[in-house]
Amino acid sequence: MSSNLTMGVIIQHIQTSLLNLLGQAIEVMPSIAVAVVVLVLTNTAAKFVRRTISAATQQTVKSLSLRSLLVQIAFALTWAAGSSIACVIAFSALRPGNIIGLLGLDSVAISFAFPDIFK
């Protein structure tokens, strides 16, 4: 009898936890929907930036590899900015300061990697 009572308490606790989780998921849905819209807009903006930088460097930069590098950097930076904004919108615990701190750490790693890349 005692094990049935304990099993009933465990099942009740699981049901309560699942209902709380479902409620939290529904509560977060608008933020996730806005983040998806931001990502779609980021995709459009990144394509626009790629075309714009490509056209701008067509006349000014003669080196094809440098032109390609500039286009790819602009494209990646656009995606990085849009993704960061979408993450801040979707995940309320994530703050822009956290992302900026991560970018600072990444810049240190990149600065150590560049001498090897250019060799």
Side-chain angles (χ1 to χ4, degrees):
M1 183 76 128
S2 159
S3 71
N4 285 342
L5 183 61
T6 306
M7 187 62 78
V9 170
I10 291 173
I11 290 174
Q12 182 65 31
H13 182 69
I14 290 172
Q15 287 175 340
T16 304
S17 296
L18 288 175
L19 286 174
N20 287 339
L21 185 62
L22 182 62
Q24 290 172 355
I26 291 172
E27 187 177 300
V28 174
M29 285 295 183
S31 298
I32 292 175
V34 171
V36 168
V37 169
V38 168
L39 288 176
V40 169
L41 291 174
T42 298
N43 185 38
T44 304
K47 289 177 182 177
F48 175 75
V49 166
R50 178 186 277 168
R51 284 192 309 268
T52 304
I53 297 296
S54 180
T57 58
Q58 196 78 21
Q59 300 296 324
T60 58
V61 178
K62 299 300 178 202
S63 172
L64 183 62
S65 60
L66 181 58
R67 194 177 329 142
S68 176
L69 176 67
L70 292 174
V71 168
Q72 291 302 322
I73 287 174
F75 183 77
L77 287 176
T78 305
W79 264 107
S83 300
S84 298
I85 292 168
C87 285
V88 168
I89 291 170
F91 307 111
S92 61
L94 186 63
R95 297 284 167 230
N98 299 341
I99 294 173
I100 291 170
L102 181 64
L103 291 175
L105 188 62
D106 287 346
S107 66
V108 171
I110 290 170
S111 68
F112 283 123
F114 264 121
D116 294 335
I117 292 171
F118 287 125
K119 283 184 181 177

